[in-house]
């Protein structure tokens, strides 16, 4: 078989075979069949996609490392606030881990830690050897990190604008600086949205994803109820305003709201990245 020869940009070459390269995904085989120049080197245009991919992966790794450092700093800063008498009173009866806000900060630190580690291992070992970590990273982000961070952002600011005494009393302004409030309740959403746009995430099947989210919700609600039964105080002032029926409705609507956020994240992922990262249907 005669070796196929190509002209510039993959156009047909009258002296040899014909193969249309334009519109093809860039692959190793395309470079293998691309004619070298007089010095025996590949054209710069052939190497461009690889350099762009390497640059994208490097920038992604740097971004994950910076966000991870930010969340580590926040968790450390908050953990040191127990020495202040005013702040220590707020953390009584369950510590600061009784608040979903602080649990979310820890969750984000764990996710970006996993994402940063996955970036590094991908460059060292390759994608095929770290499939488990990539799967775990996607599961952690799609079912917990994105829905919970978005839920904290929306629920906090909705209640804050309605009546801040229900969730963040004005007395806290003199205890926690304004920047910390926005770090805990505002910046968490942009970081999650950037992660959605930065690279695709493989969503699990809806039944599995919503089950994981429901399990996390039940665990937190159980902790809230246990703290109340043990101390007689509610984690958030808004719970004290509700009857048992109202609490049941509030917790149910909260899960429905978080489930809607999960589905929204799946739609955003599909809108940005298409069907490539969607779970395949099982063959019958």
């Amino acid at each position: 078989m005669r070796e196929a020869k190509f002209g510039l940009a993959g156009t047909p070459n009258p002296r040899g075979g014909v193969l249309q390269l334009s519109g093809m995904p860039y692959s190793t085989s395309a470079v293998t069949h691309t004619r070298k120049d007089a010095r025996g080197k590949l054209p710069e245009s052939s190497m461009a996609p690889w350099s762009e991919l390497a640059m994208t992966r490097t920038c992604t790794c740097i971004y994950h490392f910076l966000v991870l450092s930010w969340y580590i700093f926040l968790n450390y800063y908050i953990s040191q606030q127990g020495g202040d008498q005013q702040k220590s009173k707020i953390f009584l009866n369950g510590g600061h881990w009784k608040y979903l806000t602080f649990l979310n900060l820890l969750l984000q630190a764990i996710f970006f830690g996993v994402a940063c580690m996955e970036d590094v291992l991908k460059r060292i070992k390759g994608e095929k050897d770290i499939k488990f970590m990539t799967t775990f990273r996607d599961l952690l982000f799609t079912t917990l990190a994105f829905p919970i961070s978005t839920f904290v952002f929306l629920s906090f600011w909705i209640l804050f604008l309605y009546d801040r005494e229900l969730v963040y009393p004005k007395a806290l302004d003199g205890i926690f600086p304004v920047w910390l409030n926005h770090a805990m309740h505002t910046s968490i959403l942009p970081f999650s949205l950037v992660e959605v746009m930065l690279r695709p995430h493989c969503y699990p099947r809806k039944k599995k994803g919503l089950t994981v989210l429901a399990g996390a919700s039940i665990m937190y609600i159980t902790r809230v109820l246990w703290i109340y039964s043990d101390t007689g105080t509610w984690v958030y002032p808004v719970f004290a305003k509700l009857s048992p029926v109202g609490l049941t409705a509030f917790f149910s609507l909260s899960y429905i709201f978080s489930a809607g956020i999960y589905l929204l994240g799946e739609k955003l992922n599909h809108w940005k990245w298409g069907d490539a990262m969607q779970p395949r249907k099982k063959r019958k």
Side-chain angles (χ1 to χ4, degrees):
M1 182 181 294
R2 294 172 55 190
E3 181 182 358
K5 299 181 181 179
F6 307 98
L8 295 176
T11 55
N13 190 327
R15 295 178 298 171
V18 178
L19 180 63
Q20 184 67 26
L21 291 181
S22 59
M24 289 179 56
Y26 203 85
S27 63
T28 308
S29 59
V31 174
T32 305
H33 293 83
T34 303
R35 174 174 290 182
K36 299 179 180 180
D37 60 16
R39 294 174 296 178
K41 296 182 178 180
L42 292 172
E44 292 184 2
S45 60
S46 300
M47 301 302 296
W50 265 286
S51 61
E52 291 175 4
L53 178 61
M55 180 62 69
T56 300
R57 286 184 173 180
T58 301
C59 293
T60 300
C61 185
I62 293 174
Y63 168 76
H64 286 152
F65 177 75
L66 292 176
V67 179
L68 170 63
S69 301
W70 170 246
Y71 278 121
I72 290 177
F73 164 73
L74 286 179
N75 282 280
Y76 175 77
Y77 180 87
I78 293 170
S79 67
Q80 300 303 307
Q81 303 307 304
D84 188 293
Q85 291 185 353
Q86 286 184 312
K87 296 177 181 178
S88 61
K89 292 180 180 179
I90 301 172
F91 296 146
L92 287 175
N93 303 326
H96 60 281
W97 297 121
K98 64 183 178 180
Y99 297 108
L100 184 60
T101 295
F102 298 134
L103 289 173
N104 175 63
L105 294 179
L106 178 62
L107 171 64
Q108 300 304 316
I110 293 173
F111 164 72
F112 281 101
V114 172
C116 190
M117 185 179 298
E118 194 259 355
D119 290 335
V120 174
L121 292 179
K122 183 182 294 183
R123 297 178 68 88
I124 297 175
K125 294 187 175 182
E127 296 184 10
K128 294 183 179 180
D129 296 329
I130 59 168
K131 286 184 177 180
F132 172 78
M133 180 164 288
T134 302
T135 301
F136 176 67
R137 178 208 68 186
D138 288 344
L139 182 67
L140 187 62
F141 178 75
T142 57
T143 61
L144 296 177
F146 179 79
I148 293 178
S149 63
T150 307
F151 176 84
V152 170
F153 172 87
L154 293 175
S155 60
F156 175 83
W157 287 112
I158 288 174
L159 290 173
F160 185 92
L161 294 175
Y162 174 74
D163 183 2
R164 64 172 299 175
E165 297 298 320
L166 296 176
V167 64
Y168 195 82
K170 196 171 183 179
L172 294 179
D173 289 343
I175 301 176
F176 295 106
V178 176
W179 70 264
L180 183 58
N181 180 28
H182 286 290
M184 296 186 299
H185 301 112
T186 305
S187 63
I188 53 176
L189 180 61
F191 285 144
S192 293
L193 291 177
V194 169
E195 179 65 22
V196 171
M197 300 302 169
L198 196 61
R199 61 182 178 184
H201 296 274
C202 184
Y203 268 73
R205 297 187 178 279
K206 287 184 175 63
K207 182 178 180 180
K208 180 179 179 180
L210 293 175
T211 299
V212 173
L213 182 59
S217 301
I218 292 173
M219 288 176 62
Y220 180 70
I221 292 172
T222 301
R223 176 167 173 76
V224 169
L225 295 175
W226 179 84
I227 291 175
Y228 174 73
S229 65
D230 186 54
T231 64
T233 59
W234 287 105
V235 173
Y236 293 103
V238 63
F239 295 154
K241 306 287 185 180
L242 302 175
S243 63
V245 176
L247 277 173
T248 303
F250 182 88
F251 290 142
S252 300
L253 290 175
S254 295
Y255 172 71
I256 293 174
F257 186 35
S258 59
I261 294 172
Y262 169 85
L263 297 176
L264 174 63
E266 187 176 29
K267 292 294 183 182
L268 289 175
N269 187 76
H270 180 268
W271 167 76
K272 175 63 178 178
W273 302 104
D275 296 325
M277 301 299 292
Q278 300 304 310
R280 297 179 180 178
K281 295 182 179 180
K282 295 181 180 180
R283 296 180 180 178
K284 295 182 179 179

